[in-house]
Amino acid sequence: MTVATLDLSELTAEDLDAVTAIEREVSPLPWSRDLFAGELTLTSAQRLWLVGRLHGRVVAFGGVMFVGDDVHVMNLAVDLAHRRRGLAQVLLAELLRRSVERGARHTTLEVRRENDPAIGLYRRFCLRPVGLRRAYYDDGADALVLWAHDIDSPQYRDLLDRLRGQGAGRS
């Protein structure tokens, strides 16, 4: 199975069970179904959520929050059976591309300090550490604060296209 068959679409209420199942599988502190459902009640000026499907089955999801011209990556996950295939890279590239279309100029996120695979992914998107939030997570884990600026530039758009293509080319 290759990433080239990944179908990206906006999250709908019909996707909530699958998204919640992935979240419980991969997160030490999973979001609840109700929390995801609440996200669907917000406007497109406030949020953007995408799901990725392979052969019709949801295997990945991600969501962002818009604050002025900043976009905050809130959650990004791939089910365990489909990791290391470039899915998160394709998904994040599309989230950021669509965010720029909605006026985003900068992006930020928090990531568990010990989550080396995620930090590696975010570095490919030029997200750099700018700070540390001690005991950010409910379990007491610290979070690195990452930022990338000028994501609306032609150079960053080229980077997004390149990363999406590299992700799609993996098997």
Side-chain angles (χ1 to χ4, degrees):
M1 185 181 317
T2 65
V3 176
T5 60
L6 185 66
D7 177 40
L8 296 172
S9 61
E10 291 200 22
L11 176 72
T12 67
E14 291 76 33
D15 301 320
L16 290 177
D17 289 338
V19 164
T20 303
I22 293 169
E23 178 74 356
R24 279 192 313 263
E25 177 185 47
V26 303
S27 177
L29 299 166
W31 289 25
S32 69
R33 188 181 196 285
D34 287 345
L35 200 150
F36 284 113
E39 289 293 305
L40 290 176
T41 67
L42 300 170
T43 69
S44 63
Q46 297 169 301
R47 301 289 195 275
L48 170 63
W49 286 90
L50 297 178
V51 293
R53 288 182 177 78
L54 290 175
H55 306 292
R57 185 173 153 259
V58 174
V59 297
F61 70 88
V64 298
M65 170 177 58
F66 299 98
V67 181
D69 61 2
D70 297 337
V71 61
H72 185 112
V73 179
M74 296 188 304
N75 200 329
L76 187 72
V78 175
D79 76 15
L80 293 178
H82 293 90
R83 289 203 168 167
R84 311 297 300 167
R85 298 182 187 189
L87 294 171
Q89 184 168 301
V90 170
L91 182 58
L92 184 56
E94 185 63 14
L95 278 166
L96 293 178
R97 186 191 68 76
R98 291 186 190 194
S99 295
V100 168
E101 288 176 355
R102 294 181 185 192
R105 297 192 58 235
H106 316 286
T107 188
T108 186
L109 58 84
E110 291 87 12
V111 61
R112 284 179 179 272
R113 188 168 153 178
E114 71 277 0
N115 190 343
D116 291 334
I119 293 167
L121 168 69
Y122 299 139
R123 284 182 190 205
R124 290 194 295 272
F125 285 85
C126 297
L127 281 145
R128 300 293 183 242
V130 297
L132 180 71
R133 296 191 199 277
R134 296 209 180 276
Y136 177 77
Y137 295 99
D138 288 343
D139 62 1
D142 296 339
L144 288 176
V145 179
L146 307 180
W147 276 91
H149 297 283
D150 302 320
I151 66 170
D152 59 334
S153 71
Q155 295 85 1
Y156 201 85
R157 185 171 303 127
D158 290 345
L159 173 68
L160 293 177
D161 290 344
R162 193 169 52 256
L163 289 171
R164 183 171 175 148
Q166 288 170 357
R170 292 186 184 174
S171 59

